[in-house]
Amino acid sequence: MTAVAPHSQNDASPDAPQRVIIRTVGMKKIYHRGEETTYALRGISVEIFTGEFIVVMGPSGSGKSTFFNMIGALDSPSEGRVFIDEVDVAQLTAEELAFLRCRKIGYIFQSYNLIQYMTALENVTTPMAFGGVNPDEARKRGMDLLELVGLKDRWSHRPIEMSGGQQQRVAIARSLANQPSILLCDEPTANLDHQTGDEILAILQKLNKERGVTTICATHDHRMMNICDRLMWIRDGDIDRIARRDEVEVELGHIE
Amino acid sequence: MKKIDVQNQPVLPPRRVFQIALTGVKYRLFRATVTVAVIIVAMAFLMNILTESLIKRAVADSVREQIVDLHRVDRWIARLSMPQPHEDLLALLTNGEAEAEAWTELAARGGLAMKELEALQPQARAAQDALHFFAALDYGRRRVLVGPAESIQIFHRLQEAGAWEQFAANLTDMKTLRFPTDMDSFQAFLGDWPALYDALEGVREGQSAALAALRAQLGDTPLMGALGQVDGAFGDQIRAAGFSLSAAEADTLVSEVERLEQTLRIEATINNPGVRQKVAALRDVLPGDVTLSMIWDLLRDRDRAVWFIAAMQENGLETDRLTPEGLEALARQRAHTRLLQVAEQQTMGAGGGLMGIGARMTWLALVSMLVCAVGIANAMLMSVTERFREIATLKCLGALDAFIMSLFLIEACLLGLVGGLGGALAGFVLAGGRMALMFRGLLVQAFPWGDVAVAAGISVMLGMVLAAVSAVYPSLRAARLAPMEAMRIE
Ligand SMILES: Nc1ncnc2c1ncn2[C@@H]1O[C@H](COP(=O)(O)OP(=O)(O)OP(=O)(O)O)[C@@H](O)[C@H]1O
Ligand SMILES: [Mg+2]
C-alpha cells in the first residue's frame, strides 16, 4: 500500500529505492483547555522514507513541534495513527516504547532538555546507559560524540555553565548516542552562529548520506534547503505543501 | 502487520541508579536541604515527645519505692491518729491475700473470722470498681446520676427511695458511658452494701478503740516525739494495740524521725537574727535575703557545716546531736528528696498508652506523626513536581518507568534517612537536656537507653517511610505519563 519500489531496504544510498519508515494516518492533536479547544494538528497523513532528509517549515505555532512529538512516539495523537517501521506506536508496551525511544530515534529538542545536574558527558552517555552499554565503552563513545560537535574539552561542564549554542551541541551529541536510524531535530541550528551551524549541518548531512539516518528537521534556516531531499510546509496544523527540493529550486530559481 | 524488532530494555544496575540519584541530590543540594530540614523538624518533634515520656516513665519506675519511703512518717502519724477511711479498708480487703498482715489486722479489729472476710471480698471488689467509675466521671454527669454524693456516700444515696430508678434511667440515656458491671449485679451489690458497710464500721470502731487506748498511754507526749522512740516501749504499745510493726520498720522510723527533727532545727535557724546575719555576711547578701536553700547549700560542704554549728552555738542555739558529717548527709539527703518530689510531680500520669508513654502523650505522638506526614508529603510532592520536565526528558531517552520510580524512591529514602537521623538526634538532645535539668542525678541510673534507641529507630524508619511513601504517588504519576504530557505539567 505504499508507493515504494520493491528494492533492498538495507541499501541506504540516497538514490536507492526507498521504504516507508514513518507513516501517519489522519493524525490530529487537539488540546482542551476549559471551554477553549486548540487544534494543533488537523489530520496529517504523510509518509517518510528511510534515508530521507526532510525539512519541515512553517510559521511559529503552526504545529511543527507537536508533529515531531507524535512521530517520535513522545505523545499520543488525539485521533489517527502513527506507524514507525510499519508498527503501530499505540500498540507498543511501555518497555517497547522505551526501547524505541532509546535505540531507534534520536531527539534534538527545541529547548535542548538537557539534564541539569549531569555534565555534558553524562548527558550524552545517559541514553547509552539505558541501552545497556557498559560504562567504559559509553564514556569512549560519549567523548567521540562530543569531539564530533566540538565540545571535547567541555565534557565536564554542566548545562548552566554552557552557552545556548553549546547546550544545543550537547543535545545533538546526545541524540546520536545509540546510533539511531531516525533523527528528529527541532530547530537544531537556531541558536548557533553561522560557522557552527554549518558544521552541524555538515554532520547531519554526513550522517544522512553515509549512514542513511532518516532525518527530519524543523527549521527556519535556509541553508537546510540545500541538503534536504524534500520540504514540507505546515500551516495551522495542516500540511500546506510537500515538494522535492528540485521542484522548489525550479520554482524559486535559486536558493542561497 | 509487521512486529517491530524491539527487545525489552535492560534494567540499569542498582549501583548506577544510586549514583545518578546521588548526583541529582548533590546538584539540588539547597532544595534537598530544605526537604531534609522539614523531615528533621518533624522527626525531632516526635522523638522529643517519645524520649521525654520514656524518660519520665523510667524515672517514675525507679523512684517509686524511694517516694513511698519519703512519706513513711506521715503515714504512721495518720495511722495512729484516726481510723482508716472506708476507701482504704475496701482497698485492703480487695487485695487482701497480697498483704496477709493487714488482713489479720482487719479481722482482729472487726472481730471477724477470716472466712467472713473472704466472703466480703467480692463485694469489696465490686465496691471499688464502682468507686473508680464514679471517680473518673466528670462533675456534671456524676451530679445527674447520683446528685451531690461522693465516694461511698453514693452507695447510701442509691439506697434511698426512687434514687435507683432515676440512676438506672439516666445511665441508660448516657450512651457513651460503660458501667463496669451489668445493672442487675450492681443492684445486687447495693442490696449487700449495708452489711459490708457495717463490717467496715466495725473495723473502724475497733481501730478507734485501740487508738484511744494508745493515746491514753501516751499522755501528753506528741505523736512525733513518741515515734522517735518507737524502737522501745512505744513500739511494743503499738504492737499491743494490734498494729503490725516490724523491728526493721521501727528502726527506719526512728532514724527518719530523727532526721525530720534535725531538719526542723536547721530550718528554724533562719528565724535567729544572729545566724542569719553571719550567713548573710558570708554570702554577701542582705540578712533579709537569706533563704533556706542558701543554708542547705552551705551545709553540703563539710567545713561550712563545722562553721555553721559554731555559728549556732554562738547564738545560743541547741546543737545537741548535730555533727558536721550528719549535717552534710542531711543536706545531701534533702537535695535528693527535693529531686524526688520534683520527679513525683513531673511523672504523675506517666505510663500506659503506646510504648508506655502515657495516653495523653500517645495522642500527642499520633497527632505529631500526622503533622509530620503532611509536612513531608508536601515537601516531597514539591520536589517531585519540580522535576516533571526532567522525568519527561529521561523517558524520551529511553528510561523505564521502574528506573524513574527507583530514582525518586532512592532520593526520598536518602533524604528521609538523613532527616530521620538528624531529627532523632535533635529530639534526643532536646528532650535529654530538658529531662537532665529536671531530674539530674536520678536520671543517671534510670536512663532508659534501650527504649530511647527503639524510639530513635522508629523516628528514622518513620522519616524514611513517610518520605518514600509521599514520593511514590507523584513520581508514579509522572512516570506513567507520555513524556510530552509530563513536560506539559509544570
Ligand atoms: N499544552 C498545550 N495546550 C494547548 N495548546 C497547545 C499546547 N501545546 C501546544 N499548543 C498549541 O498548539 C499549536 C502548535 O504548537 P507547536 O509548539 O507545535 O508550534 P511550533 O510550530 O513548534 O511553533 P514554534 O516554531 O514557535 O516552535 C500552537 O498553537 C500552540 O498554542
Ligand atoms: Mg516548536
Side-chain angles (χ1 to χ4, degrees), chain B residues 171-192:
Chain B
L171 191 66
T172 329
D173 286 347
M174 295 180 190
K175 297 227 162 17
T176 51
L177 277 190
R178 283 231 143 271
F179 198 75
T181 59
D182 60 85
M183 282 297 98
D184 288 341
S185 40
F186 187 51
Q187 201 169 14
F189 159 77
L190 283 178
D192 294 336

Side-chain angles (χ1 to χ4, degrees), chain A residues 113-187:
Chain A
N113 288 353
L114 298 177
I115 309 284
Q116 294 299 316
Y117 57 82
M118 292 184 181
T119 62
L121 183 63
E122 284 169 341
N123 263 294
V124 175
T125 53
T126 299
M128 300 183 199
F130 292 150
V133 179
N134 80 53
D136 294 334
E137 162 80 10
R139 202 181 152 79
K140 203 176 131 296
R141 253 161 67 181
M143 288 307 280
D144 289 348
L145 285 170
L146 283 176
E147 186 167 21
L148 185 72
V149 296
L151 283 177
K152 196 175 183 192
D153 49 346
R154 297 267 178 167
W155 66 270
S156 63
H157 286 224
R158 295 235 156 79
I160 44 165
E161 298 157 356
M162 290 189 279
S163 71
Q166 287 167 331
Q167 291 186 43
Q168 179 92 306
R169 284 188 274 164
V170 175
I172 292 169
R174 183 179 67 181
S175 71
L176 302 176
N178 286 326
Q179 291 142 354
S181 46
I182 304 169
L183 201 54
L184 296 174
C185 324
D186 205 347
E187 314 253 7

Side-chain angles (χ1 to χ4, degrees), chain A residues 31 69 74-76 83 85-88 95-96 98-104 107 109 111 113 115-118 127 129-132 158 160 174, chain B residues 1-10 12 16 20 23-24 27-28 387 389-390 393-400 403 482-485 487-488:
Chain A
Y31 292 113
N69 294 340
L74 301 181
D75 205 348
S76 44
F83 298 89
D85 254 351
E86 287 304 314
V87 174
D88 187 349
E95 278 80 17
E96 288 167 340
F99 179 87
L100 190 74
R101 292 171 188 148
C102 184
R103 318 280 186 96
K104 289 270 166 176
Y107 307 90
F109 299 98
S111 47
N113 288 353
I115 309 284
Q116 294 299 316
Y117 57 82
M118 292 184 181
F130 292 150
R158 295 235 156 79
I160 44 165
R174 183 179 67 181
Chain B
M1 182 184 294
K2 184 182 151 238
K3 255 332 241 173
I4 198 169
D5 59 335
V6 293
Q7 304 109 24
N8 285 344
Q9 277 288 81
L12 273 189
R16 184 97 177 90
I20 295 180
T23 336
Y27 180 77
R28 283 182 309 272
R387 298 169 63 189
R389 191 179 195 86
E390 180 194 327
T393 307
L394 287 172
K395 285 206 72 170
C396 292
L397 301 181
L400 294 174
F403 165 78
M484 282 304 140
E485 275 166 48
M487 217 171 265
R488 240 172 267 136

Side-chain angles (χ1 to χ4, degrees), chain A residues 41-61:
Chain A
L41 295 178
R42 294 170 189 269
I44 288 192
S45 301
V46 71
E47 284 174 346
I48 296 168
F49 303 100
T50 37
E52 246 191 327
F53 196 125
I54 293 195
V55 166
V56 180
M57 303 188 101
S60 178

